[in-house]
Amino acid sequence: MSDVRRVSTGAPWEEQFGYSRAVELPNGLVLVAGCTSVVDGQIVGGGPYEQAVNAFNVALSALRQVGLGRDDVVRTRMYITHARDVDEVGRAHKELFDTVRPVATMIIVSGFVDPSLVVEIEVEAFRGVSS
């Protein structure tokens, strides 16, 4: 798959676990790996809203590396550890994507690698055909 473009953001887990932050396929689909509220190796943002905003920004930063942005997002997945956080994470999603309206899924999970994390985000974007 030599036509596949891979993006790294330098996060320590990318090297440790052998994955890319984002992968762009030849058909224009861009998949962004799960993003959390970790910046420069530190968890930032204490609450679910703040963690969601930060995680989305990590994902959007990866998209910018392939020349795409918020308006190109076609799917989001939000993994949360508590049902009580649905409204706060949903609020962060609405603020970022209200005009874009990607398909979205929110899933409650039992936890993440660090118990301080309460949100993990995945996004998919699409590079449309140029005219």
Side-chain angles (χ1 to χ4, degrees), residues 48-50 52-53 56-57 60 70-71 73 76-78 85-106 119 121 123:
Y49 170 80
E50 294 83 6
V53 169
F56 277 121
N57 284 330
L60 293 172
R70 181 180 58 97
D71 291 345
V73 172
T76 61
R77 289 185 189 91
M78 297 156 278
D85 297 337
V86 166
D87 289 339
E88 288 299 293
V89 174
R91 178 169 63 101
H93 187 277
K94 181 176 176 66
E95 287 176 5
L96 287 165
F97 296 105
D98 192 33
T99 60
V100 179
R101 298 289 173 126
V103 296
T105 302
M106 192 179 302
V119 179
I121 304 294
V123 301

Side-chain angles (χ1 to χ4, degrees), residues 112-130:
F112 301 113
V113 295
D114 185 310
S116 301
L117 294 169
V118 297
V119 179
E120 186 164 334
I121 304 294
E122 293 179 350
V123 301
E124 297 178 17
F126 184 72
R127 184 183 307 281
V129 178
S130 300

Side-chain angles (χ1 to χ4, degrees), residues 27-101:
N27 66 358
L29 184 63
V30 179
L31 309 172
V32 179
C35 299
T36 60
S37 188
V38 174
V39 177
D40 297 326
Q42 300 294 316
I43 297 172
V44 295
Y49 170 80
E50 294 83 6
Q51 283 196 22
V53 169
N54 289 326
F56 277 121
N57 284 330
V58 169
L60 293 172
S61 177
L63 286 179
R64 283 192 293 276
Q65 289 189 52
V66 296
L68 297 178
R70 181 180 58 97
D71 291 345
D72 301 302
V73 172
V74 296
R75 176 187 297 269
T76 61
R77 289 185 189 91
M78 297 156 278
Y79 301 92
I80 61 175
T81 56
H82 300 286
R84 68 177 176 251
D85 297 337
V86 166
D87 289 339
E88 288 299 293
V89 174
R91 178 169 63 101
H93 187 277
K94 181 176 176 66
E95 287 176 5
L96 287 165
F97 296 105
D98 192 33
T99 60
V100 179
R101 298 289 173 126

